[in-house]
């Protein structure tokens, strides 16, 4: 942005002409106003790893899939209410572990906890009764994730070490076998509900996405930033007279998301010629929106580099829409209510100590 003297510029990325967007208002235009001028840009690279899921669908297919999954992730849903009980239990164990030690590797600790939590929520597993299966799933999820950051070459010869991509594809097949078995035997919980909401193969592919390392890594990043950074820069207590100050907690979390979003942003591909922020984008050009840059746009946030939770004290919904941690518009993250339920657990106040 400094080199181009603009928060919107064009460069070649992954051997394709790509427009980068770091303007807050331009990102909103992309995700809200002109979302139908673009398709999701992830299928080009990650479809083999994840298969057909919500992340790779577009148009009418995406609308129908989101509608089918919508009720499973709403605040008032039975599924989300059941999740709250499991989240409380995991949060309590996670905080007890933290408080019992002199020091802890916070990110690694949260990654382990949130991985187990996602497996428990989405596959209906009791981690205390399924230790071996949990361990196997965690290992497979890690190998599967590493395929996303490997060269997409499926190479596996007896005299050579298998490529990371090849190992990821094998891990994917193993994960799908376990998922299929869980769906076949599920009588309640999230597996039973998604089995009712979607056809068999769609349920399997989307569960693969939900239990992947993608979600735990994002949650771990946010929780680590919250624990470390709010401790350094926000000394107002979260627990007052034995009660959690929910308003202060939300202000801190919003500011953490603003300065340290867990993902760099997102990718789209233009299906028609259009303009974003006055910048001409030809058909078939890729667009990458930069959440971190958009969150540090001084036109959207005065003193953008300062950690100021108070800026969110009397914020409106439109103010919150300037954050792109969960994307935005019709293709925003379908699980954001679940993420907020985890992040706003009262035990975070104790963990922050």
């Amino acid at each position: 942005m400094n080199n181009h003297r603009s928060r919107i510029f064009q460069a070649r990325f992954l051997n394709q002409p790509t427009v980068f967007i770091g303007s807050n208002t331009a990102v909103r235009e992309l995700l809200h106003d002109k979302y139908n001028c673009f398709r999701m840009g992830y299928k080009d690279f990650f479809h083999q790893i994840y298969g057909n899921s919500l992340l790779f669908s577009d148009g009418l297919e995406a609308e129908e899939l989101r509608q089918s999954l919508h009720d499973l992730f709403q605040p008032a849903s039975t599924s989300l209410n059941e999740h709250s009980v499991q989240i409380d239990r995991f949060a309590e164990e996670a905080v007890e572990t933290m408080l019992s030690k002199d020091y802890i590797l916070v990110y690694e600790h949260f990654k382990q906890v949130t991985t187990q939590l996602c497996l428990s929520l989405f596959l209906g597993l009791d981690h205390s009764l399924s230790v071996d299966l949990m361990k196997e799933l965690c290992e497979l999820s890690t190998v599967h994730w590493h395929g996303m950051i490997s060269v997409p070459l499926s190479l596996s010869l007896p005299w050579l070490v298998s490529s990371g991509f090849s190992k990821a594809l094998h891990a994917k097949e193993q994960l799908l076998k376990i998922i299929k078995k869980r769906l076949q035997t599920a009588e309640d919980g999230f597996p039973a509900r998604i089995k009712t909401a979607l056809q068999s193969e769609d349920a399997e592919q989307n569960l693969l996405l939900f239990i992947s390392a993608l979600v735990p890594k994002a949650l771990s990043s946010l929780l680590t930033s919250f624990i470390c950074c709010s401790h350094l820069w926000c000394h107002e207590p979260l627990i007052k007279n034995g009660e959690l100050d929910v308003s202060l907690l939300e202000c801190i979390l919003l500011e953490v998301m603003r300065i340290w979003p867990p993902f760099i942003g997102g990718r789209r591909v233009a299906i028609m010629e259009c303009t974003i922020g006055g910048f001409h984008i030809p058909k078939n050009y890729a667009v990458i929106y930069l959440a971190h840059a958009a969150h540090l746009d001084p036109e959207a946030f005065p003193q953008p580099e300062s950690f100021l939770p108070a800026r969110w004290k009397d914020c409106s919904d439109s103010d919150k829409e300037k954050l792109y941690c969960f994307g935005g518009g019709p293709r925003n993250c379908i699980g954001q209510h679940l993420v907020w339920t985890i992040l706003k657990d009262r035990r975070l106040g104790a963990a922050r100590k």
Side-chain angles (χ1 to χ4, degrees):
M1 290 190 297
N2 288 335
N3 288 342
H4 289 271
R5 296 183 181 180
S6 173
R7 302 190 80 84
I8 308 176
F9 61 91
Q10 181 183 324
R12 289 194 71 81
F13 183 69
L14 297 175
N15 202 32
Q16 183 174 6
T18 302
V19 176
F20 291 83
I21 302 177
S23 158
N24 197 282
T25 55
V27 173
R28 178 180 174 81
E29 185 180 0
L30 170 72
L31 299 181
H32 289 260
D33 305 330
K34 296 184 179 176
Y35 75 94
N36 56 352
C37 297
F38 299 85
R39 65 174 175 85
M40 300 292 276
Y42 310 117
K43 195 170 185 176
D44 302 346
F45 304 105
F46 306 131
H47 184 253
Q48 281 186 273
I49 294 292
Y50 280 108
N52 294 318
S53 69
L54 183 63
L55 191 62
F56 307 121
S57 60
D58 286 291
L60 182 59
E61 179 191 6
E63 290 179 21
E64 291 176 348
L65 190 52
R66 284 182 69 89
Q67 187 60 42
S68 298
L69 291 168
H70 180 269
D71 291 343
L72 297 180
F73 290 99
Q74 292 311 294
S77 70
T78 303
S79 188
L80 208 55
N81 288 333
E82 288 178 353
H83 289 346
S84 297
V85 176
Q86 293 171 285
I87 291 167
D88 284 347
R89 187 181 69 181
F90 270 89
E92 188 169 353
E93 292 177 5
V95 172
E96 284 180 359
T97 300
M98 292 179 72
L99 298 180
S100 68
K101 297 184 178 182
D102 293 330
Y103 68 91
I104 195 167
L105 298 173
V106 181
Y107 177 74
E108 293 300 323
H109 174 63
F110 277 131
K111 188 167 67 172
Q112 179 184 357
V113 170
T114 53
T115 298
Q116 292 177 345
L117 175 58
C118 286
L119 293 174
S120 176
L121 294 178
F122 296 125
L123 291 184
L125 292 173
D126 186 328
H127 73 291
S128 62
L129 301 176
S130 310
V131 177
D132 291 339
L133 181 55
M134 277 279 195
K135 182 179 178 181
E136 180 185 4
L137 284 164
C138 288
E139 290 172 353
L140 287 171
S141 293
T142 299
V143 175
H144 184 234
W145 166 262
H146 286 163
M148 287 188 66
I149 52 177
S150 301
V151 176
L153 175 65
S154 184
L155 180 66
S156 183
L157 299 173
W159 60 90
L160 291 173
V161 177
S162 297
S163 68
F165 190 75
S166 177
K167 291 178 180 178
L169 293 178
H170 179 69
K172 170 189 170 184
E173 295 307 314
Q174 297 301 110
L175 286 167
L176 284 172
K177 286 180 182 179
I178 296 172
I179 290 169
K180 187 172 184 177
K181 186 175 180 180
R182 295 297 300 177
L183 285 171
Q184 288 173 343
T185 58
E187 296 181 356
D188 54 23
F190 192 89
R193 291 191 175 87
I194 196 172
K195 183 169 63 173
T196 302
L198 300 177
Q199 294 184 0
S200 178
E201 186 176 347
D202 288 336
E204 293 168 17
Q205 299 287 348
N206 281 282
L207 272 178
L208 178 66
L209 175 63
F210 297 156
I211 69 165
S212 74
L214 192 68
V215 180
K217 282 180 176 290
L219 275 169
S220 305
S221 173
L222 288 171
L223 288 166
T224 301
S225 297
F226 167 79
I227 294 295
C228 297
C229 302
S230 66
H231 175 73
L232 290 172
W233 287 301
C234 184
H235 303 294
E236 190 175 348
L238 275 170
I239 306 294
K240 299 175 181 177
N241 300 320
E243 295 294 325
L244 175 68
D245 188 335
V246 178
S247 178
L248 177 59
L249 174 60
E250 183 171 348
C251 288
I252 295 174
L253 287 169
L254 287 168
E255 190 68 348
V256 165
M257 290 179 181
R258 186 184 71 82
I259 300 185
W260 299 284
F263 300 116
I264 190 172
R267 185 175 186 268
R268 301 288 189 270
V269 176
I271 59 174
M272 63 181 72
E273 184 177 322
C274 66
T275 60
I276 298 291
F279 197 97
H280 176 249
I281 301 175
K283 181 181 179 180
N284 295 326
Y285 269 43
V287 172
I288 291 180
Y289 69 88
L290 305 166
H292 184 258
H295 293 175
L296 296 182
D297 186 343
E299 291 191 8
F301 299 102
Q303 296 179 264
E305 309 249 352
S306 299
F307 186 78
L308 301 172
R311 75 169 81 236
W312 301 101
K313 188 173 181 181
D314 298 309
C315 69
S316 62
D317 288 341
S318 61
D319 290 327
K320 294 179 183 178
E321 287 181 355
K322 295 176 183 177
L323 293 183
Y324 304 111
C325 254
F326 302 109
R331 296 305 305 269
N332 63 2
C333 174
I334 199 169
Q336 60 182 292
H337 295 300
L338 174 60
V339 173
W340 271 109
T341 301
I342 296 170
L343 293 176
K344 293 173 77 170
D345 191 283
R346 70 178 308 277
R347 288 155 189 81
L348 277 178
R352 185 168 166 257
K353 294 179 182 180

